[in-house]
Structure formats: C-alpha cells, structure tokens
Amino acid sequence: MKNSLPPFNKRPHLSVGNSSTEIVAPPDSGEVNATRELVRDLIPEVAKYLNSQDLGSFSLSKKSFFLDTLRQREKARIPTEELIHTQFFFRFPFLKQVQLVGQIPDEVVEALARKAPNLNCLDLRESELFEEDILTLMAQRFPGLTSLNLSGCDEITDQGLKDIAGFERLTVLDLSNCTDITDQGLAELPRLNFLNVLNLSGCDRITDTGLAHLARLDALVSLDLSGCFDLTDIGLLSLNRLQNLKYLNLTDCEKITPAGVTGLRSGVSVITGN
C-alpha cells in the first residue's frame, strides 16, 4: 500500500544566517511581521492620549516598547550578531524554536545553549563549522528539546549519535544525508524512548544490522530509510517488532523486494520505488 509520509519539517522555527546570509522567517511564519505592524499601528493610538511632555518621552521609548513586545514571542527576526550579544536572550526569554542556517561559528551555538533554556525545536540542517562536542552541551542545557534536525551535517558520526541519545525527550530526529552514520551509531538511538519520527534518508552505510537496533525504538511511528541501498528483506522483517510504526519510506532501497514489503505487518503504509 502506497501513501505519503507526514512531513518531517513542518514546525515553525526561527531562521538565523551569517553575515552573508539574510535572516529569514519560514514562509508560514508571519507572526513577527504581524507584530511589527501591530506595534506600528498601536503607537499612534497610544500617543493620542498623551500630553506634549509625555509625548516627548514616549517618542524616546518607542524602541524599548517594541522590544518589550517582541520579547514575548517564541520566534523573531534577529540580526546574526545579536546571537553572541550578552543581552540577546534576556530580551527573548521565551524563544523555543530556532533554525541556524549557513556558516555557524561555534560561539553562536554555545551562546544559544547558554541563553535559551526553553528551546524545544532546534534545526541545524546543513550547518557548517559544526563540531560534535557541542551536542553534549546542548543535551545538558536543553533537557526539554523535542525536535532536532541535523540533515546534511557531514560532521555527524557514530560518536555524534551517542551524544544525540542524551536528548532524552526527543520525538522528532532528522539525520538524513548524514553519510558517516553506521550501524554502530544506530545502536545508541534506542535510548530515545519518546522518538516518534526518524529520518535516515540517504544514510547509505546502514545495513540490516542497523535495522535490528531501530527495532528497539518502541514509540516509533514514522521511519524514512529511502536511499539506504544495502538494506534487504531479511533486515526489514526486524521492523515487525515496531507495533506503533505506521509510515515507512523504502524508496531507492534497491535490494528490498515486493516479497519483503509483503512480509511487513499489516497497518504499515509503505512507499517504495526506484
């Protein structure tokens, strides 16, 4: 039975670039612009009720009034240099969803770990200058993190997966195109007791041995194995242990046959094709 997998990256987030990358909000994230427009419209209305002396003071305080409004937001447009500014996260203490795009200096990631204790969704897809030891720090500082996207992070290895297992509350993990991941690293993932969605698309060093490790992820609902060329029908059978699995992507898994797909338990929607 063919069906569509649920999207892996539909959650709203903050986009932050470097000096050569403009700060961008996701297409479906209009809250910041709406907030700016609301504040811009609100200031003249408030000014109607002020006398001339108060009006002068109000003019000087417009910026702080605007920042005080923004600090209540969970996402916003922020200049990149503000990430390593001491006051940045004191202005935005409720920041929960962040995407860092492009070249990311280590100090930016470390500042994020120190100053955003309420973060629950972190997107580091295709980030550059990324060092695995930062994951250990993040796991300690963000115990409530539920979504982590490391798609295309070439530096992620099996040791990185051991560090990722420290994010005990993860429900969504995207490791697509992390091509250095092997079966040994997957042995660490069953420590993620709440993991519902796992994307391993393009992780072409995974074999049937790795599937046996994944079969211990009892909470798993959606699994993307597209482009994992070495998987076979024998390894696929181990996934029958996953009683909550509903969506499985096997696109471009060339060694898996229709007979292997038929051997999966009922109730699993499978995408196949080469």
Side-chain angles (χ1 to χ4, degrees), residues 12-31:
H13 53 266
L14 165 71
S15 294
V16 184
N18 56 24
S19 57
S20 63
T21 306
E22 183 182 0
I23 310 305
V24 294
D28 60 347
S29 178
E31 292 191 23

Side-chain angles (χ1 to χ4, degrees), residues 83-84 88-89 95 98 100 106-119 122 124 133-143 145 167:
L83 278 173
I84 55 176
F88 172 75
F89 288 114
L95 194 63
V98 176
L100 304 178
D106 293 348
E107 59 267 25
V108 168
V109 180
E110 291 173 358
L112 188 65
R114 290 194 306 269
K115 300 297 185 179
N118 296 316
L119 196 70
L122 181 59
L124 298 175
D133 57 359
I134 296 177
L135 290 172
T136 301
L137 175 63
M138 289 182 174
Q140 295 171 348
R141 299 296 180 88
F142 305 142
L145 198 73
F167 293 95

Side-chain angles (χ1 to χ4, degrees), residues 54-71:
D54 292 336
L55 190 59
S57 299
F58 179 75
S59 178
L60 294 175
S61 66
K62 283 193 296 184
K63 182 177 180 179
S64 62
F65 175 69
F66 177 66
L67 289 175
D68 186 61
T69 301
L70 278 186
R71 72 188 296 271

Side-chain angles (χ1 to χ4, degrees), residues 23-269:
I23 310 305
V24 294
D28 60 347
S29 178
E31 292 191 23
V32 175
N33 289 333
T35 300
R36 290 179 183 271
E37 294 174 2
L38 176 61
V39 173
R40 191 161 47 240
D41 293 340
L42 183 59
I43 288 176
E45 293 301 316
V46 173
K48 291 179 182 179
Y49 298 92
L50 302 178
N51 58 37
S52 58
Q53 182 177 355
D54 292 336
L55 190 59
S57 299
F58 179 75
S59 178
L60 294 175
S61 66
K62 283 193 296 184
K63 182 177 180 179
S64 62
F65 175 69
F66 177 66
L67 289 175
D68 186 61
T69 301
L70 278 186
R71 72 188 296 271
Q72 306 299 322
R73 313 308 299 177
E74 295 183 1
K75 47 190 177 292
R77 290 175 180 264
I78 311 272
T80 305
E81 60 270 18
E82 291 283 358
L83 278 173
I84 55 176
H85 190 281
T86 303
Q87 298 299 317
F88 172 75
F89 288 114
F90 292 108
R91 294 179 184 171
F92 300 87
F94 303 109
L95 194 63
K96 293 182 179 180
Q97 301 165 334
V98 176
Q99 180 183 358
L100 304 178
V101 180
Q103 294 184 344
I104 305 169
D106 293 348
E107 59 267 25
V108 168
V109 180
E110 291 173 358
L112 188 65
R114 290 194 306 269
K115 300 297 185 179
N118 296 316
L119 196 70
N120 60 29
C121 180
L122 181 59
D123 192 334
L124 298 175
R125 75 183 78 175
E126 298 180 355
S127 61
E128 302 174 23
L129 306 180
F130 188 86
E131 296 184 6
E132 286 184 353
D133 57 359
I134 296 177
L135 290 172
T136 301
L137 175 63
M138 289 182 174
Q140 295 171 348
R141 299 296 180 88
F142 305 142
L145 198 73
T146 59
S147 178
L148 180 61
N149 188 339
L150 296 170
S151 176
C153 292
D154 296 334
E155 297 86 355
I156 299 298
T157 63
D158 291 341
Q159 176 59 44
L161 264 61
K162 184 175 182 179
D163 297 333
I164 289 169
F167 293 95
E168 297 179 353
R169 295 189 175 277
L170 273 188
T171 60
V172 178
L173 177 59
D174 191 337
L175 296 171
S176 58
N177 298 310
C178 293
T179 54
D180 285 336
I181 291 175
T182 71
D183 297 336
Q184 183 179 354
L186 295 185
E188 302 291 338
L189 294 186
R191 293 164 53 193
L192 299 172
N193 295 325
F194 301 100
L195 194 64
N196 298 143
V197 178
L198 177 60
N199 189 347
L200 294 172
S201 175
C203 298
D204 54 12
R205 298 180 65 183
I206 296 174
T207 70
D208 291 346
T209 301
L211 292 189
H213 297 315
L214 298 182
R216 294 156 51 204
L217 288 166
D218 294 334
L220 201 62
V221 174
S222 178
L223 177 61
D224 191 336
L225 296 171
S226 57
C228 296
F229 306 119
D230 287 333
L231 303 181
T232 71
D233 293 348
I234 295 175
L236 202 59
L237 289 176
S238 63
L239 298 182
N240 283 330
R241 293 177 51 187
L242 297 173
Q243 295 301 308
N244 292 306
L245 188 66
K246 295 182 179 179
Y247 306 98
L248 180 61
N249 191 340
L250 299 174
T251 301
D252 293 327
C253 294
E254 299 172 349
K255 296 181 181 180
I256 291 179
T257 69
V261 174
T262 303
L264 289 170
R265 68 172 180 81
S266 61
V268 180
S269 296

Side-chain angles (χ1 to χ4, degrees), residues 1-17:
M1 175 172 54
K2 294 188 178 183
N3 205 342
S4 296
L5 289 174
F8 282 89
N9 300 304
K10 286 297 185 181
R11 299 186 177 205
H13 53 266
L14 165 71
S15 294
V16 184

